[in-house]
């Protein structure tokens, strides 16, 4: 009843205009794809040329990979979030920080590392040989699912952990008091409240898996993105590529619908100031929990770092180590900070619209932004080339267009956490302040910001890390004569110059790692004080 | 204390982009106005391979150059999307197929005979739209512990023999491989090529995304041999002299001994004269002795200009005996792709 009344409240015009403009921006890839697919009139022909039973298999494989990676990541994230929020986990703060760090490793680097680790002569080559596995066993669907889960699960971990913090503890405690086991109490007392965070985290991971190309192609798992890349890269056929990209958009829409259905309407994250947050202890299993965290850290951080260091050591005699590392580092830092700030700023009006004046428009922008996240970076890059050359040719191949590209790609990452923050802000307090004569800026600064801030930081973190390792869009849109850390890494790994690739890759991981550490540590301190 | 920490971190986060803004501002203005001062090169070759030559060029002529690096196919897609609005004056491509595709879509400026004439007619566009800079031979890379040169067949056609079952690595999505298939179609005809592809597929080859992955896999013993370009192996050998793989070149004008090129072109038929002159100057530099020597000794490719010797580890270009065919026909990529899809080597 109350929500009905709210939805009838008309959003202020400036907010609507700003949101529509952002909506147009995230819509641009779709417009581009439609124009390219239908120009020249060869649409029907192209469709029949591209789509056969094989394409269907690729599509199903993509969906399967997305589902497996999403389910695995969500399960892992729920477990980790439960562990790291418990008071008695050994090295709790360290575990909290390290659990986010795997996101800093680009997937194609992770894939290359694991291929190297399992090859004869690699770190675990002896082990796999003694198990009787043939060289090259680490490839295909399950290898891709493993690598993607290892290096992408933090996309789900961050929202789920944030959601778990807002959970009301009374259902959990009631279940415990009624004699339920701890696991059952979590199942019935906590997870229903987490539903929205779980779905949005799972969606992000699943969509990422749909659009991923680098790692998946290294691991020889033929997903639907390969169909698109073959069109662009072998056939130079833009119509074909656009048609197959639109088919991918169809898959993304399917996933989004599924997410909408799973999110349902039943239980919202209630949160807010009134609830008492969850507190628990693991008890005598705490070292076991720590061991699980440790295993994960070894798989997703220690092994990649060790491999990169060993690559570095192998060629240290012949390479001009740090020369040419400063410029890419500065560029990466600049781009990631700018994209982080701008994407978060853009997500604020959308989150505001979605929470205060829910409407078709806000829902549409939210879904559109997810399409951008699920499409391969190459498609986003080309569509921005198209848009920029027609609307702002003077700005073409400047940082500005590249950052716009990041906005289209990563807006979906920011909307979730920011929106969750806004949902917590109390409307009644806001209205009370308004009747007492407080201006919008003062209300925003004193009432809204403190509640929303963790969400803003979470969003910034996700966008920062994703930007610093993004590759295909960066390659297309960056100004001539500039490098970022990720383009450096790619340049060398693509030519199998692993010794040279190791240094920028390490710099990339440490850049994101340091930021993750600072921000998470800071949030922890705030929590305490 | 915590409050101070907060403020410091927040203000740093907000200020850092602006502190870095001067640099980006110069980049912005340089892009907007500097076009008549410097030329922009799109390169499908990696900086590690061509960067030093570009640095030499800038030093020798005093001209300013900005390079945008990417994959050859990605750059080709970008050039097609940009059309006449492209800021690029020169495009350096890894293979003739991409150059041919651009030429076919009328995206290339014609080059003068004085430039293209320096290179053997086999290694340039017959319509003078692009010119080869270096040669890259097809080879079979094999693991020395699992097979030996004496067991190698004398023709690529013989790998359809069942004794090679499960031992071959290939990259049907790779441009160089597709160029080789196009060459084979040109030489043996479509029917024979399709039969050969089906024969290879019947031997259950392991599919890799690109040449480097094949060479790595052969060295690691994942497969016994692979169809690649010749020079990747030498880079692995440079990093690890004990790398257990060697190249085998098919003798006697076999389709398996095709020599493809890395070439240059002007990717804009409407390019203004000032930039065109500089583009020509750059291409001439690539075809002069210093640059050709560099490619021969540092990237292990074949220099295409007469009188320059390839690196000592490699057999001579004349000994490879490229099949007698027109490289420009390599742009019949569409036919090859249709065939690769038909035999289900590609989606």
């Amino acid at each position: 009843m109350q929500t009905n009344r709210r939805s009838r409240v008309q959003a202020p015009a400036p907010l609507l205009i700003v949101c529509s403009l952002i909506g147009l921006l995230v819509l641009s890839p779709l417009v581009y794809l439609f124009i390219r697919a239908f120009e020249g009139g060869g649409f029907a022909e192209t469709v029949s040329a591209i789509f056969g039973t094989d394409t269907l298999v690729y599509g199903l494989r993509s969906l399967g990979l997305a589902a497996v990676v999403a389910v695995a990541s969500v399960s892992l994230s729920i477990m980790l979030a439960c562990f790291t929020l418990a008071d008695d986990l050994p090295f709790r703060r360290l575990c909290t920080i390290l659990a986010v760090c795997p996101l800093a490793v680009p997937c194609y680097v992770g894939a290359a590392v694991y291929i190297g680790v399992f090859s004869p002569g690699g770190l675990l080559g002896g082990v796999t040989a003694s198990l009787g596995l043939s060289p090259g066993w680490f490839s295909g669907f399950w290898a891709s699912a493993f690598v993607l889960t290892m290096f992408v699960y933090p996309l789900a971990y961050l929202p789920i952990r944030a959601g778990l913090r807002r959970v009301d503890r009374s259902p959990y405690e009631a279940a415990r008091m009624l004699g339920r086991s701890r696991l059952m109490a979590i199942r019935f007392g906590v997870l229903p409240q987490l539903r929205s965070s779980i779905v949005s985290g799972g969606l992000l991971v699943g969509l990422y898996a749909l659009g991923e190309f680098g790692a998946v192609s290294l691991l020889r798992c033929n997903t639907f993105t390969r169909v698109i890349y073959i069109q662009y890269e072998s056939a130079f056929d833009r119509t074909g590529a656009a048609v197959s990209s639109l088919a991918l958009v169809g898959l993304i829409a399917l996933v989004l619908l599924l997410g909408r259905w799973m999110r349902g309407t039943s239980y919202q994250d209630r949160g807010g100031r009134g609830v008492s947050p969850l507190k628990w202890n693991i008890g005598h299993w705490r070292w076991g929990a720590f061991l699980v965290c440790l295993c994960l850290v070894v798989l997703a951080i220690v092994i990649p770092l060790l491999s990169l260091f060993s690559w570095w050591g192998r060629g240290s005699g012949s390479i001009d180590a740090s020369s040419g590392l400063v410029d890419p580092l500065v560029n990466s830092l600049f781009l990631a900070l700018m994209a982080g700030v701008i994407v978060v700023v853009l997500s604020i009006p959308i989150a505001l619209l979605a929470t205060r004046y829910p409407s078709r428009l806000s829902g549409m922008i939210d879904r559109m932004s997810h399409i951008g996240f699920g499409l391969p970076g190459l498609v986003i890059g080309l569509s921005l080339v198209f848009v920029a050359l027609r609307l702002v040719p003077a700005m073409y191949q400047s940082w500005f267009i590249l950052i716009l590209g990041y906005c289209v790609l990563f807006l979906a990452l920011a909307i979730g956490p920011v929106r969750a923050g806004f949902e917590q802000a109390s409307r009644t307090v806001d209205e009370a302040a308004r009747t007492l004569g407080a201006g919008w800026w003062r209300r925003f600064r004193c009432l809204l910001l403190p509640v929303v801030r963790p969400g803003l930081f979470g969003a910034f973190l996700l966008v920062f890390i994703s930007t610093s390792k993004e590759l295909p869009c960066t390659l297309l849109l960056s100004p001539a004569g500039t490098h970022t850390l990720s383009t450096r890494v790619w340049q060398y790994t693509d030519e199998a110059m692993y010794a040279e690739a190791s240094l920028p890759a390490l710099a990339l991981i440490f850049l994101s790692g340091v930021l993750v550490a600072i921000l998470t540590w800071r949030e922890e301190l705030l929590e305490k004080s | 204390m915590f409050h101070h920490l907060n403020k410091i971190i927040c203000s740093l986060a907000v200020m850092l982009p602006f502190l870095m803004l001067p640099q980006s501002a110069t980049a912005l203005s340089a892009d907007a106005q500097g076009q008549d001062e410097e030329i922009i090169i799109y390169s499908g070759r990696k900086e590690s391979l061509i960067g030093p030559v570009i640095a030499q060029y800038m030093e020798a002529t005093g001209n300013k150059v900005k390079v945008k690096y990417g994959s050859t196919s990605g750059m080709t897609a970008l050039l097609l999307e940009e059309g006449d609005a492209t800021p690029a004056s020169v495009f350096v491509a890894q293979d003739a197929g991409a150059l041919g595709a651009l030429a076919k879509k009328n995206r290339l400026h014609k080059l003068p005979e004085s430039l293209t004439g320096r290179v053997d007619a086999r290694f340039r566009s017959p319509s003078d739209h692009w010119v080869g800079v270096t040669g890259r031979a097809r080879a079979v890379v094999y693991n020395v512990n699992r097979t030996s040169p004496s067991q190698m067949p004398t023709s690529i056609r013989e790998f359809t023999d069942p004794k090679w079952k499960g031992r071959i690595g290939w990259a049907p999505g790779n441009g160089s491989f597709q160029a080789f298939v196009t060459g084979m179609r040109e030489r043996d005809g479509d029917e024979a090529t399709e039969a050969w592809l089906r024969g290879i597929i019947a031997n259950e080859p392991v599919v890799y995304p690109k040449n480097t992955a094949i060479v790595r896999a052969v060295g690691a013993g994942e497969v016994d041999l692979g169809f690649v370009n010749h020079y990747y192996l030498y880079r692995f050998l440079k990093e690890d002299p004990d790398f257990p793989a060697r190249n085998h070149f098919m003798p006697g004008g076999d389709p398996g001994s095709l020599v493809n090129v890395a070439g240059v072109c002007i990717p804009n038929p409407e390019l203004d004269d000032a930039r065109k002159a500089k583009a020509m100057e750059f291409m001439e530099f690539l075809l002069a002795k210093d640059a050709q020597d560099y490619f021969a000794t540092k990237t292990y490719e074949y220099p295409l200009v007469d009188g320059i010797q390839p690196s000592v580890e490699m057999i001579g270009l004349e000994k490879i005996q490229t099949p007698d065919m027109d490289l420009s026909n390599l742009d019949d990529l569409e036919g090859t792709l249709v065939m690769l899809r038909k035999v289900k080597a590609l989606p």
Side-chain angles (χ1 to χ4, degrees):
Chain A
M1 188 62 212
Q2 205 186 5
T3 43
N4 273 347
R5 206 180 64 220
R6 262 184 215 173
S7 64
R8 260 183 250 129
V9 178
Q10 188 63 41
L15 186 63
L16 277 178
I17 293 172
V18 169
C19 286
S20 309
L21 284 178
I22 299 171
L24 277 182
L25 178 68
V26 292
L27 198 69
S28 57
L30 217 54
V31 174
Y32 163 78
L33 288 177
F34 270 109
I35 291 176
R36 280 282 172 262
F38 290 100
E39 77 184 350
F43 181 73
E45 225 173 87
T46 321
V47 170
S48 64
I50 294 174
F51 294 102
T53 45
D54 279 10
T55 325
L56 196 68
V57 171
Y58 288 128
L60 287 177
R61 192 176 287 131
S62 269
L63 283 178
L65 187 69
V68 169
V69 175
V71 169
S73 301
V74 164
S75 320
L76 192 64
S77 302
I78 293 176
M79 191 180 67
L80 281 175
C82 287
F83 287 168
T84 54
L85 280 178
D87 282 326
D88 59 346
L89 181 77
F91 307 104
R92 192 176 71 93
R93 193 165 293 157
L94 192 66
C95 288
T96 312
I97 293 172
L98 287 181
V100 190
C101 286
L103 192 59
V105 182
C107 280
Y108 60 96
V109 172
V113 160
Y114 267 101
I115 291 174
V117 163
F118 286 124
S119 70
L123 206 56
L124 297 175
V127 180
T128 57
S130 64
L131 287 175
L133 294 164
S134 62
W137 66 275
F138 190 77
S139 63
F141 184 88
W142 293 105
S144 309
F146 169 76
V147 166
L148 287 181
T149 306
M150 276 300 117
F151 300 109
V152 188
Y153 82 85
L155 288 182
Y157 169 74
L158 280 172
I160 287 176
R161 187 169 189 277
L164 198 58
R165 270 194 165 149
R166 296 191 296 266
V167 159
D168 183 13
R169 74 172 163 205
S170 42
Y172 172 78
E173 279 174 358
R176 287 292 281 157
M177 249 179 277
L178 290 172
R180 295 278 191 166
S181 73
R182 200 173 284 144
L183 275 182
M184 282 322 234
I186 290 178
R187 163 78 183 78
F188 292 107
V190 177
L191 289 193
Q193 297 186 63
L194 262 184
R195 193 163 169 171
S196 166
S197 314
I198 289 176
V199 171
S200 45
L203 266 187
L204 289 180
V205 173
L207 290 178
Y208 186 92
L210 272 187
E212 219 286 336
F213 183 68
V216 170
S217 75
L218 273 180
L219 292 166
R220 309 202 306 272
C221 172
N222 290 327
T223 59
F224 199 78
T225 42
R226 181 147 188 259
V227 178
I228 299 175
Y229 268 77
I230 297 252
Q231 295 300 320
Y232 274 123
E233 305 213 317
S234 300
F236 309 110
D237 175 9
R238 285 181 297 167
T239 310
V243 171
S244 37
S245 301
L246 281 178
L248 182 61
V249 172
L251 290 187
I252 294 169
L254 209 65
V255 172
L256 287 176
L257 272 179
L258 190 72
R260 201 172 160 191
W261 173 71
M262 286 201 299
R263 184 174 278 147
T265 48
S266 56
Y267 219 133
Q268 286 293 322
D269 276 2
R270 280 192 306 173
R273 318 233 98 176
V275 303
S276 40
L278 209 55
K279 271 192 186 334
W280 62 39
N281 292 318
I282 307 178
H284 59 272
W285 283 105
R286 60 203 196 98
W287 286 100
F290 176 69
L291 210 64
V292 172
C293 295
L294 194 69
C295 279
L296 185 82
V297 168
V298 168
L299 284 176
I301 302 170
V302 176
I303 287 184
L305 285 184
L306 274 183
S307 305
L308 287 173
F309 275 118
S310 80
W311 288 353
W312 186 19
R314 203 163 54 190
S316 56
S318 62
I319 53 171
D320 47 344
S322 58
S323 77
L325 198 63
V326 178
D327 262 7
L329 185 73
V330 172
N331 285 341
S332 281
L333 190 63
F334 163 75
L335 280 173
L337 284 174
M338 282 301 253
V341 170
I342 292 176
V343 172
V344 169
V345 167
L346 287 187
S347 69
I348 288 176
I350 295 174
L352 206 60
L353 190 74
T355 49
R356 293 289 155 90
Y357 315 97
S359 63
R360 267 174 192 282
L361 178 72
S362 68
M364 210 184 72
I365 295 176
D366 190 12
R367 278 189 288 281
M368 280 297 161
S369 69
H370 278 82
I371 290 180
F373 188 66
L375 280 173
L378 182 70
V379 176
I380 304 290
L382 285 174
S383 70
L384 271 151
V385 170
F386 178 85
V387 172
L389 282 175
R390 272 156 193 80
L391 297 184
V392 277
M395 302 290 276
Y396 182 61
Q397 282 205 9
S398 66
W399 295 117
F400 176 70
I401 299 293
L402 178 55
I403 290 173
L404 274 191
Y406 292 141
C407 292
V408 178
L409 271 172
F410 299 133
L411 195 60
L413 288 179
I415 288 180
V418 174
R419 192 179 157 164
F422 275 106
E423 268 162 10
Q424 285 197 82
S426 158
R427 264 183 82 85
T428 29
V429 176
D430 186 64
E431 269 157 23
R434 199 218 303 254
T435 43
L436 288 174
W440 69 272
W441 172 244
R442 184 136 180 246
R443 294 199 317 270
F444 178 76
R445 204 172 58 89
C446 298
L447 294 176
L448 203 54
L449 205 57
V451 185
V452 177
R453 199 174 44 199
L456 293 183
F457 271 109
F460 175 79
L461 200 64
L462 281 179
V463 177
F464 181 95
I465 299 177
S466 304
T467 304
S468 64
K469 64 178 185 176
E470 205 282 335
L471 184 64
C473 193
T474 314
L475 275 180
L476 278 189
L477 295 178
S478 60
T482 58
H483 288 285
T484 68
L485 288 176
S486 63
T487 62
R488 279 269 159 190
V489 175
W490 169 79
Q491 285 236 341
Y492 293 125
T493 46
D494 208 45
E495 291 291 327
M497 302 162 106
Y498 292 117
E500 284 85 348
S502 59
L503 212 55
L506 284 169
L508 185 61
I509 294 171
F510 281 117
L511 180 70
S512 301
V514 166
L515 187 92
V516 169
I518 292 177
L519 284 185
T520 322
W521 182 50
R522 190 184 156 283
E523 286 300 299
E524 289 283 302
L525 291 181
L526 276 181
E527 192 87 338
K528 262 195 166 172
S529 61
Chain B
M1 148 87 203
F2 295 147
H3 254 80
H4 283 298
L5 188 74
N6 265 337
K7 276 184 190 155
I8 292 169
I9 291 173
C10 286
S11 47
L12 270 185
V14 173
M15 278 168 61
L16 255 173
F18 294 100
L19 288 179
M20 285 185 262
L21 208 61
Q23 193 207 348
S24 58
T26 51
L28 266 179
S29 55
D31 278 345
Q33 308 151 6
Q35 280 186 349
D36 33 43
E37 287 170 18
E38 62 197 5
I39 61 169
I40 290 183
I41 297 173
Y42 283 8
S43 175
R45 318 213 63 196
K46 302 296 160 356
E47 188 171 21
S48 50
L49 303 181
I50 201 173
V53 177
I54 292 174
Q56 279 175 26
Y57 166 76
M58 288 201 279
E59 204 172 305
T61 60
N63 287 344
K64 278 193 194 149
V65 172
K66 275 194 174 168
V67 196
K68 186 173 173 66
Y69 292 100
S71 64
T72 294
S73 43
M75 287 288 147
T76 310
L78 180 63
L79 283 167
L80 288 174
E81 195 59 66
E82 288 175 338
D84 289 343
T86 182
S89 303
V90 178
F91 175 41
V92 185
Q94 290 262 44
D95 75 298
L99 292 165
L102 282 170
K104 204 171 217 176
K105 295 192 168 139
N106 299 321
R107 294 306 323 146
L108 301 187
H109 198 288
K110 219 172 158 95
L111 304 176
E113 176 75 34
S114 60
L115 189 73
T116 55
R118 299 195 191 179
V119 169
D120 190 305
R122 286 185 299 166
F123 303 123
R124 64 181 199 226
S125 149
S127 54
D128 285 339
H129 279 106
W130 54 264
V131 58
V133 175
T134 53
R136 21 189 42 206
R138 291 299 292 179
V140 175
V141 64
Y142 62 93
N143 185 306
V144 290
N145 301 323
R146 288 169 170 261
T147 182
S148 63
S150 58
Q151 289 174 311
M152 284 287 143
T154 51
S155 167
I156 195 97
R157 300 181 189 102
E158 290 166 38
F159 281 108
T160 53
D161 190 307
K163 74 174 176 182
W164 299 109
K165 193 160 196 158
R167 300 171 68 184
I168 304 172
W170 73 346
N174 173 269
S176 308
F177 176 81
Q178 288 161 1
F180 147 72
V181 174
T182 315
M184 194 175 196
R185 285 172 55 217
E186 187 71 12
R187 187 181 163 77
D188 293 0
D190 280 3
E191 215 166 291
T193 307
E194 196 181 316
W196 181 80
L197 284 170
R198 287 189 195 280
I200 295 290
I201 290 171
N203 273 342
E204 293 163 11
V206 183
V207 179
Y208 293 92
K210 53 194 177 207
N211 283 309
T212 45
I214 298 181
V215 178
R216 187 196 53 71
V218 167
E222 282 178 28
V223 285
D224 293 356
L225 56 93
F227 305 150
V228 292
N229 285 343
H230 76 279
Y231 49 87
Y232 293 102
L233 172 69
Y234 304 109
R235 292 187 206 146
F236 279 87
L237 285 171
K238 193 174 149 202
E239 208 165 86
D240 173 16
D242 300 324
F243 192 77
R246 292 294 178 271
N247 275 336
H248 176 74
F249 293 94
M250 291 298 160
D254 188 72
S257 68
L258 174 81
V259 176
N260 198 345
V261 299
V264 285
C265 62
I266 295 181
N268 183 358
E270 306 294 325
L271 195 71
D272 58 76
D273 288 342
R275 285 197 289 168
K276 199 161 64 193
K278 285 195 171 154
M280 298 289 180
E281 192 183 18
F282 176 71
M283 290 192 232
E284 269 171 27
F285 187 85
L286 288 183
L287 293 173
K289 185 173 185 317
D290 286 351
Q292 291 280 307
D293 271 337
Y294 170 86
F295 289 125
T297 55
K298 290 294 193 307
T299 68
Y300 307 102
E301 287 167 285
Y302 288 103
L304 292 183
V305 174
D306 283 344
I308 315 271
Q309 288 306 309
S311 173
V312 281
E313 288 103 327
M314 302 177 337
I315 62 168
L317 193 56
E318 66 290 344
K319 284 197 196 121
I320 294 183
Q321 295 179 357
T322 297
D324 189 24
M325 59 167 283
D326 187 351
L327 262 191
S328 61
N329 286 331
L330 286 187
D331 69 352
D332 182 20
L333 199 59
E334 266 164 57
T336 299
L337 288 170
V338 169
M339 184 180 287
L340 286 171
R341 285 200 194 106
K342 189 171 160 197
V343 301
K344 306 228 182 287
L346 280 185

